[in-house]
Amino acid sequence: MKNNKFQRIRLRVSSAGETIRFNAVCDRGFRTIKGIFVSLPQDKAVQGAMLGFRLNNVEVLDDGHEVKNLTATNSVAPNNKFFLFPEKIEAAGGSMEGRYTDGSKYPLLVDNGEDSGVFDPGKVNFKTLAGYTTNPFGVVFPYDVIINIWLTND
Amino acid sequence: MNKTRVIHYPVQCIVRQPLTPVNIYTVLPGHIRKVVGVKAVHSVGVQLMSTDSYLPVIGYLSLEFNNRQYHIGHIDVPFDNRAEASDAYLDTSIDIVPGSLLSGHYENKVFTGTDYQRANGTVTDKWSNYIVTIYLKALSDD
Amino acid sequence: MTRGFRYQQVSLRISESGQRVYFNAESHKDYTLLKGISLSVGYEAALFGSTFGFRVNEKKILDESHEAHLLVFGNDVPHNQRMLFFETPVPIHASKLEGIYTDSALQALLGNTSYSPGGGVIPPADVNVKKTFVSGKDIVSYSRVIADAVLVSDNAGVIVGGGGLGTGPVAGSPDPTNPSNPLSVYYPYDVRITMYLSV
């Protein structure tokens, strides 16, 4: 029997700032999740994009986790492209939930007006930016995000 | 918190003329016990004189620890204006005499022509002061 | 149930050139070691000369003048190396985490003429003009440092902000078409601090 599987989840992002929720079930034939790699077709879409990820209702990556830290250029050898979790995560048919947020409105953020300058990611509200039809990064929509989950029997 | 811990201690040096070596002369804080790594990086300034994002060597740094008792040799200082950092330090193992001097000199090797410094020693508009920072990875007991 | 690791994040919003932003957070109570830290900055051009200081339980880990670009990693670096990992993990237990990010902090030092003609070591007191980390106190929540006027007028590469996208870069900002400055900084931009916690 195989010991590795790269399970793919494909999402289509249609507009700037869009948030997409997804659910999936890990392949039952594999015991653990070893790593994750997010593939984006445009480099410009990486900046500001976020991916949250939970397994069996336990947080693995919070919703503000940057996709920048889950992807890599072709300068990185294929064996090193996956972000490897620091511990074995039991998968075995577990249910995955995730939330991908497009970051192309990122440069359009406004001063949040908070004195400390610190903000809660949950409070980021792009609605105040309604009316912008372009984004400075020039991201073209729609684009597809492929989330690769590395399952193993290690 | 452990009694001894690793800190990253920066020493900023400003380079104000292309042809005059910069003397380094500063007292290290008394809580630094040992230096386990050294690196020297360009911080700001050279990007105002160059369209390149990377220059392998902009100058040479010579460093001495413990009141000039320990010379670690010469370090090439690059200019790297790319958004990729390296946390690589030159490994060292230097026990520090509390309150001793960090000394040495830095010699600039770029933009040394007459376009940048006139014969009378003054710098031209093309020259920009720049800052080189020496980072010491050190064991501290503060 | 919790995992054996957690990437605790803090986000800061930098609204104008020279702004200095302080944060104070508590490490997640279920984790006992801080193993690494990294930054992510909205615009690469914002990195140079900006600084980030960090301390845990009022013990300094990174000086206030530690350069932000040394804590940022490109996508050419394998994922699991994209941090400043502490060789000795820092013990934590619902600990006080503090950071101070200063935009364009070091640019403000370039025009200083108080040193010898050739230059020399800049005294720490001059580098950390505003002392933020003082034991037992959070003395700064927000302040602004104005870049040296000489820099703004003389050097095309020094960025002054305040424009934002609505108005475009203000006078003195680098020309985006100028190859010497391929990336402009638009304000506001965000700095995300990721701290790698472990049980």
Side-chain angles (χ1 to χ4, degrees):
Chain A
M1 182 178 168
K2 316 189 278 189
N3 280 324
N4 291 281
K5 175 171 179 162
F6 298 98
Q7 189 168 348
R8 290 153 62 92
I9 299 167
R10 183 185 287 257
L11 310 174
R12 175 149 296 181
V13 183
S14 303
S15 61
E18 186 177 5
T19 293
I20 298 173
R21 293 178 186 278
F22 61 90
N23 291 287
V25 176
C26 295
D27 191 311
R28 289 190 179 278
F30 299 88
R31 282 197 291 273
T32 58
I33 295 182
K34 185 173 182 177
I36 187 170
F37 172 65
V38 179
S39 169
L40 295 172
Q42 305 167 55
D43 283 349
K44 293 168 180 174
V46 174
Q47 181 69 58
M50 293 178 289
L51 179 75
F53 182 65
R54 297 168 74 86
L55 182 71
N56 291 331
N57 218 24
V58 177
E59 182 179 285
V60 179
L61 302 172
D62 77 25
D63 283 348
H65 201 92
E66 292 172 279
V67 168
K68 190 175 180 178
N69 289 329
L70 302 172
T71 191
T73 66
N74 283 341
S75 302
V76 178
N79 283 348
N80 292 329
K81 273 191 170 164
F82 274 74
F83 173 75
L84 303 180
F85 293 114
E87 64 176 13
K88 286 184 179 176
I89 297 178
E90 292 297 323
S95 65
M96 295 183 277
E97 298 165 66
R99 193 175 100 148
Y100 175 87
T101 305
D102 174 74
S104 57
K105 277 190 173 179
Y106 175 83
L108 303 176
L109 292 173
V110 291
D111 185 354
N112 59 350
E114 292 185 16
D115 279 355
S116 68
V118 183
F119 70 92
D120 175 352
K123 288 184 186 170
V124 178
N125 186 355
F126 289 105
K127 287 179 184 169
T128 57
L129 300 165
Y132 284 98
T133 55
T134 59
N135 58 79
F137 292 155
V139 178
V140 177
F141 295 93
Y143 66 87
D144 283 2
V145 179
I146 299 173
I147 300 164
N148 297 273
I149 310 280
W150 186 352
L151 301 172
T152 74
N153 278 322
D154 292 347
Chain B
M1 186 91 45
N2 287 343
K3 185 166 169 50
T4 301
R5 59 207 175 80
V6 176
I7 63 165
H8 298 259
Y9 182 77
V11 177
Q12 283 89 1
C13 305
I14 187 164
V15 182
R16 298 183 60 211
Q17 289 186 342
L19 300 174
T20 309
V22 174
N23 289 317
I24 295 163
Y25 193 81
T26 186
V27 176
L28 292 179
H31 58 80
I32 290 183
R33 287 287 168 266
K34 186 169 191 170
V35 172
V36 295
V38 174
K39 71 175 168 184
V41 300
H42 162 267
S43 299
V44 287
V46 169
Q47 80 279 3
L48 304 175
M49 296 185 279
S50 172
T51 56
D52 293 325
S53 59
Y54 177 69
L55 299 170
V57 178
I58 56 169
Y60 303 124
L61 179 70
S62 170
L63 271 189
E64 301 155 325
F65 290 86
N66 290 340
N67 304 319
R68 298 187 170 156
Q69 295 301 303
Y70 191 111
H71 181 217
I72 68 161
H74 293 79
I75 301 172
D76 290 352
V77 179
F79 163 66
D80 192 343
N81 216 18
R82 300 171 296 186
E84 293 151 25
S86 166
D87 61 355
Y89 278 80
L90 176 68
D91 287 339
T92 60
S93 179
I94 308 168
D95 292 317
I96 297 296
V97 175
S100 61
L101 276 179
L102 170 68
S103 54
H105 65 271
Y106 174 78
E107 196 175 341
N108 173 63
K109 286 292 172 190
V110 287
F111 312 112
T112 52
T114 51
D115 283 357
Y116 297 91
Q117 182 165 355
R118 302 181 188 97
N120 65 6
T122 58
V123 295
T124 68
D125 293 349
K126 287 189 175 178
W127 170 259
S128 166
N129 295 347
Y130 69 89
I131 293 174
V132 167
T133 303
I134 305 159
Y135 285 89
L136 304 179
K137 185 160 66 175
L139 301 182
S140 160
D141 64 0
D142 74 339
Chain C
M1 180 189 166
T2 55
R3 300 279 171 214
F5 64 92
R6 184 183 182 89
Y7 295 98
Q8 186 168 346
Q9 300 195 42
V10 174
S11 294
L12 310 176
R13 183 151 301 164
I14 311 301
S15 299
E16 64 176 39
S17 177
Q19 189 177 348
R20 191 170 171 81
V21 176
Y22 168 85
F23 77 83
N24 176 352
E26 187 175 277
S27 67
H28 194 286
K29 61 181 173 46
D30 292 334
Y31 298 86
T32 58
L33 291 174
L34 173 63
K35 289 189 167 176
I37 188 168
S38 68
L39 296 192
S40 170
V41 180
Y43 301 98
E44 293 175 356
L47 294 170
F48 297 98
S50 298
T51 57
F52 179 72
F54 181 66
R55 67 179 194 168
V56 178
N57 282 338
E58 301 188 350
K59 291 287 187 187
K60 191 194 290 182
I61 305 291
L62 302 174
D63 188 84
E64 288 183 44
S65 62
H66 198 96
E67 289 165 78
H69 79 86
L70 299 178
L71 300 169
V72 177
F73 296 84
N75 285 348
D76 291 343
V77 179
H79 298 99
N80 294 74
Q81 297 170 20
R82 287 184 201 168
M83 278 209 160
L84 173 67
F85 290 102
F86 301 124
E87 286 161 20
T88 309
V90 181
I92 49 172
H93 185 72
S95 296
K96 182 178 179 184
L97 308 171
E98 294 170 284
I100 180 86
Y101 181 91
T102 309
D103 179 85
S104 311
L106 298 181
Q107 278 90 335
L109 297 170
L110 281 177
N112 198 308
T113 56
S114 63
Y115 313 110
S116 64
V121 174
I122 305 175
D126 286 0
V127 177
N128 296 317
V129 177
K130 297 194 179 225
K131 288 283 182 191
T132 302
F133 291 155
V134 176
S135 289
K137 295 179 183 176
D138 302 334
I139 59 167
V140 171
S141 64
Y142 184 72
S143 65
R144 292 166 199 272
V145 179
I146 304 303
D148 193 310
V150 173
L151 293 172
V152 172
S153 59
D154 280 357
N155 296 320
V158 173
I159 294 155
V160 293
L165 279 180
T167 57
V170 297
S173 293
D175 177 358
T177 62
N178 180 346
S180 69
N181 235 312
L183 294 168
S184 297
V185 180
Y186 290 100
Y187 294 90
Y189 68 87
D190 284 358
V191 179
R192 290 170 188 272
I193 299 128
T194 303
M195 291 164 281
Y196 171 26
L197 311 185
S198 175
V199 292

